[in-house]
Amino acid sequence: MPAGIRTSELRKVYNTAPPLAAGSGGAFSFAAKRGKGKQPKPEVVALNGMSLEVRSGEIFCLLGPNGAGKSTTVGILTTRVRPTSGQAWIGDHDVWKEQTAVKRLIGVVAQRPNLDFSLTAREILIFHGAYFGLSSQERSSRSASLLERFKLTDRADQLVRGFSGGMMQRLSIARAMMHDPQVLFLDEPSSGLDPQTRLLLWEIIREYNQSGKTVLLTTHNMEEADALCQRLAIVDHGKIIALGTPQELKSSVPGGYLLRLRFGQQSTELLQRMQALAGVREVRATENNGMDVYADRGGPLIGEIANLALAASVELCDVHISEPSLENLFLHHTGRSLRE
C-alpha cells in the first residue's frame, strides 16, 4: 500500500541563513527578535502554518518562486530540517518521532547533486542499495536496470566527477529509486536540464507513479507542473495560496484570459470604462501606468480597448494576452509574476 503525506500547521523560522537545500534568496519574510539590551536577532520565516495532504499514489506538486518555502517543506518531510512547530507524517509515521521508519519509505533527490565523486555511477547505486539491505543479486540487477533506463549504461563504470550536470541529475534520481521507495521526493528535478532530458525525466516519473508510488516534486516551472501533476499547491511566503488540479486552478482565474496593458498615462475614468466592457470580469491598475484585465475573451477585446484609449486621449503603449494558465493564477493572487 503506497504511503501518503500529511502536514499540520508546519512552521519553520530560521535564526540564521537557511541551508542551501532549504532554499535561499527569494521571498522569505523577515522579522526582528530583540532581547533586552541586545541587538535585534533576524528571523527568516520559511514556513508559516503549512497544512497539506498528498494522497497515496498521486503525483503532487509544490509550485512557487524561489524562497517560497518549497524546499523547506521537503526538508522537513525527509527528516533533514526540524520544524519550529507543527507536525508531519509519511503514511502513519510521524516524521520526527519515527525517523528510521520514515527513511525506509522515502527516496530523496535534493535540489543540488550530492554524489560521491570518488565512485563510479554503478558503485553509487550498488552502495545505496546496500544501505537499504538489498541482496547482492538485487543490487546488481536493479542498478543495471536503472542505468539503462536513465541512459547511463555507457558511463556506468566511470567516475561521476566527469559527468555533466544533466547526467548527475539523472544518476541522483536513479539512486533515489534504487531501494524502490513508496514516496519519492524530487526538489526542482528538471532545473538546468535540456529539453530532451527533461522529457525523459517526466516519462520516468510517470512510469514510477503508475507502479503505485507517491511522488512529490517542487518546481517553479509551470509547464512541468501542468504536464506532470495530478494536483498541486501554489506556495508563496510559506503559505498555500491555491490548491487543486491544474485545470481547476486555471479555471478559477476570473474569465480565464489575462490582458496586460500599458498606457501613456493612467486614469480612474479609463479603468472604470474598461470594467464596463462586455466579458471583462476584473480590472486592476498596476505600476508604470499598467492595467491587468481579466476577461472571458482575449484578442476580440483589443479593438474595444483601443477605442476606449482613443476616446480618452490616452496612448495604448503595449498589449500582452495570455490564455488561462498557472502563471495567471499566481499573478491574480499575489500581484506579481511567478518568476519574480
Side-chain angles (χ1 to χ4, degrees), residues 3-15:
I5 301 167
R6 187 161 53 95
T7 71
S8 177
E9 293 295 323
L10 276 187
R11 181 174 169 81
K12 178 60 182 178
V13 179
Y14 293 100
N15 294 122

Side-chain angles (χ1 to χ4, degrees), residues 159-176:
L159 296 179
V160 299
R161 64 164 54 95
F163 282 18
S164 67
M167 293 171 65
M168 288 186 187
Q169 184 71 334
R170 279 182 274 157
L171 181 58
S172 296
I173 297 170
R175 180 183 62 180

Side-chain angles (χ1 to χ4, degrees), residues 199 309 328:
L199 291 175
N328 291 354

Side-chain angles (χ1 to χ4, degrees), residues 93 167 250-251 257 279 302:
H93 301 286
M167 293 171 65
K250 286 187 289 185
S251 65
Y257 289 89
I302 299 302

